[in-house]
């Protein structure tokens, strides 16, 4: 375990030192975002975001059935900061990310959102019972490096990435690969002829993303009895308006689905599969994203979460911005 912590610390410090040397909306989520259904793609453009991320793990469902051997409800309230930098001057096809989240783990406000607002006021369905609750200060630190490829004149389309995360929740090393904001119409126009009719105007702002991810998991203080390995597939469709010459969305809506083998085990030591839907709204520099396990129709364990973020990268001195 000490060697794992040393490895993760080296990854994080190396990424930070690179940003300091090169010094110069949407940023990567802190752990455990991807395993709750949050979109986990690397950033196509430089970002410096901060905000609030919440995650809820419920011990029971509305019928009183227990999810697994974790005998407490865990509501994470993380103040997060995420910094992505693209090494334009030296390595134009590479980017790094450093993300940190820290905050009080309490039953509120996630119980109020789940039981009083969603279950009671909106849907009129039974509330989820709560017994033991985790009351601690938890934190998560993650770092990654990503290699990008241009395809058919679409910049930073295909990616391959690796990294690690540690903290009081759990520890993980991971690898991921996929495509980010692929424009089908752009590819069609290059292969056939320009499409300038109403169909082109409708489809042109649409983007398609997809990713596969594999991780090696190690237990932490908050989450124990975890699966040794976890595999995740994620896909999404977005529609929006993008900055000319960059891939930064000025306004965008994105809907996604996540299917994973699950980081949590059942009583027999078999990992519990997960399915989530995700919906994100972006109006630069703000991002609101929410995810829920309704796609899996279970409503306990890693059940839902959300985040509200603001991108402050535009406040950095112009001399730092090199993209």
């Amino acid at each position: 375990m000490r060697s794992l912590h040393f490895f993760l610390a080296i990854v994080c410090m190396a990424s930070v030192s690179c940003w300091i040397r090169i010094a110069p909306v949407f940023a990567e989520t802190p752990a455990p975002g991807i395993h709750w259904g949050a979109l986990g793609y690397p950033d196509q453009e430089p970002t410096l975001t901060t905000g609030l991320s919440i995650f809820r793990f419920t011990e029971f469902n509305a019928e009183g059935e227990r999810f697994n051997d974790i005998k407490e409800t865990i509501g994470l309230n993380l103040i997060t900061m995420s910094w992505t930098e693209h090494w334009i001057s030296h390595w134009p096809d590479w980017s790094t990310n450093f993300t940190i989240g820290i905050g009080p783990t309490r039953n509120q406000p996630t119980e109020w959102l789940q039981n009083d607002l969603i279950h009671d006021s909106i849907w009129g369905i039974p509330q989820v019972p709560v017994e033991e609750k985790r009351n601690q200060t938890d934190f998560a630190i993650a770092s990654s490096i990503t290699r990008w490829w241009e395809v058919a004149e679409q910049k930073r389309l295909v990616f391959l990435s690796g990294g690690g995360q540690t903290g009081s929740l759990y520890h993980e090393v991971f690898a991921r690969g996929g495509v980010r904001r692929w424009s089908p119409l752009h590819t069609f126009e290059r292969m056939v002829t320009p499409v300038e009719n109403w169909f082109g105007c409708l489809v042109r702002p649409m983007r398609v993303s997809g990713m596969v991810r594999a991780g090696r998991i190690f237990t932490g203080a908050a989450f124990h009895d975890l699966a040794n390995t976890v595999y995740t597939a994620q896909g999404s469709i977005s529609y929006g308006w993008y900055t000319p010459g960059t891939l930064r969305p000025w306004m965008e809506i994105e809907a996604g689905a996540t299917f994973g083998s699950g980081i949590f085990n059942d009583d027999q030591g078999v990992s519990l599969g997960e399915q989530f839907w995700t919906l994100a709204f972006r109006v630069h520099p703000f991002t609101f994203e929410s995810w829920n396990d309704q796609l899996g129709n279970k409503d306990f364990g890693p059940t839902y979460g959300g985040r509200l973020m603001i991108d402050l990268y535009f406040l950095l001195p112009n001399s730092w911005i090199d993209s």
Side-chain angles (χ1 to χ4, degrees), residues 25 42 52 61 75 78 104 106 123 154 163 195 207 222 258 264 278 312 322:
V25 139
L52 174 66
N61 63 7
L78 301 178
R106 300 291 188 270
W123 295 112
Q154 294 186 66
V195 180
R207 301 289 188 271
T258 301
F264 297 104
T278 309
L312 302 177
D322 188 17

Side-chain angles (χ1 to χ4, degrees), residues 157-222:
L157 177 66
V158 178
F159 65 87
L160 185 63
S161 179
Q165 52 196 34
T166 187
S168 61
L169 306 178
Y170 63 89
H171 318 282
E172 180 181 15
V173 290
F174 64 87
R176 60 188 174 185
V179 297
R180 186 61 171 139
R181 293 193 177 104
W182 169 57
S183 173
L185 187 61
H186 178 88
T187 302
F188 178 76
E189 288 177 337
R190 285 180 51 82
M191 294 175 57
V192 191
T193 57
V195 180
E196 297 296 345
N197 54 22
W198 66 270
F199 178 77
C201 294
L202 180 65
V203 177
R204 193 180 307 279
M206 186 180 73
R207 301 289 188 271
V208 178
S209 302
M211 177 184 71
V212 291
R213 185 183 186 278
R216 177 71 168 88
I217 305 291
F218 303 86
T219 59

Side-chain angles (χ1 to χ4, degrees), residues 96-295:
T96 57
N97 173 268
F98 178 78
T99 298
I100 184 170
I102 185 170
T105 296
R106 300 291 188 270
N107 188 46
Q108 299 295 351
T110 55
E111 184 190 14
W112 178 83
L113 290 169
Q114 181 180 44
N115 280 335
D116 297 337
L117 181 62
I118 304 299
H119 281 223
D120 193 8
S121 300
I122 297 180
W123 295 112
I125 58 179
Q127 296 189 357
V128 175
V130 177
E131 291 186 0
E132 296 297 320
K133 300 175 284 290
R134 179 175 174 83
N135 290 275
Q136 298 288 339
T137 296
D138 286 305
F139 72 97
I141 302 172
S143 184
S144 66
I145 184 169
T146 302
R147 173 64 160 90
W148 295 91
W149 285 270
E150 177 180 306
V151 178
E153 297 184 0
Q154 294 186 66
K155 185 174 67 171
R156 297 174 191 160
L157 177 66
V158 178
F159 65 87
L160 185 63
S161 179
Q165 52 196 34
T166 187
S168 61
L169 306 178
Y170 63 89
H171 318 282
E172 180 181 15
V173 290
F174 64 87
R176 60 188 174 185
V179 297
R180 186 61 171 139
R181 293 193 177 104
W182 169 57
S183 173
L185 187 61
H186 178 88
T187 302
F188 178 76
E189 288 177 337
R190 285 180 51 82
M191 294 175 57
V192 191
T193 57
V195 180
E196 297 296 345
N197 54 22
W198 66 270
F199 178 77
C201 294
L202 180 65
V203 177
R204 193 180 307 279
M206 186 180 73
R207 301 289 188 271
V208 178
S209 302
M211 177 184 71
V212 291
R213 185 183 186 278
R216 177 71 168 88
I217 305 291
F218 303 86
T219 59
F223 299 121
H224 51 82
D225 190 23
L226 302 179
N228 291 330
T229 57
V230 59
Y231 304 98
T232 306
Q234 191 169 77
S236 61
I237 297 177
S238 55
Y239 194 91
W241 293 263
Y242 303 89
T243 308
T246 76
L247 299 168
R248 189 185 308 280
W250 283 107
M251 182 177 294
E252 183 181 48
I253 180 172
E254 184 168 17
T258 301
F259 302 88
S261 59
I263 63 171
F264 297 104
N265 291 327
D266 62 15
D267 295 336
Q268 307 301 316
V270 179
S271 60
L272 296 159
E274 301 286 353
Q275 301 88 43
F276 301 90
W277 60 255
T278 309
L279 192 62
F281 298 93
R282 304 182 187 101
V283 180
H284 187 75
F286 298 99
T287 292
F288 171 75
E289 182 182 352
S290 182
W291 45 87
N292 200 293
D293 67 348
Q294 287 174 331
L295 191 62

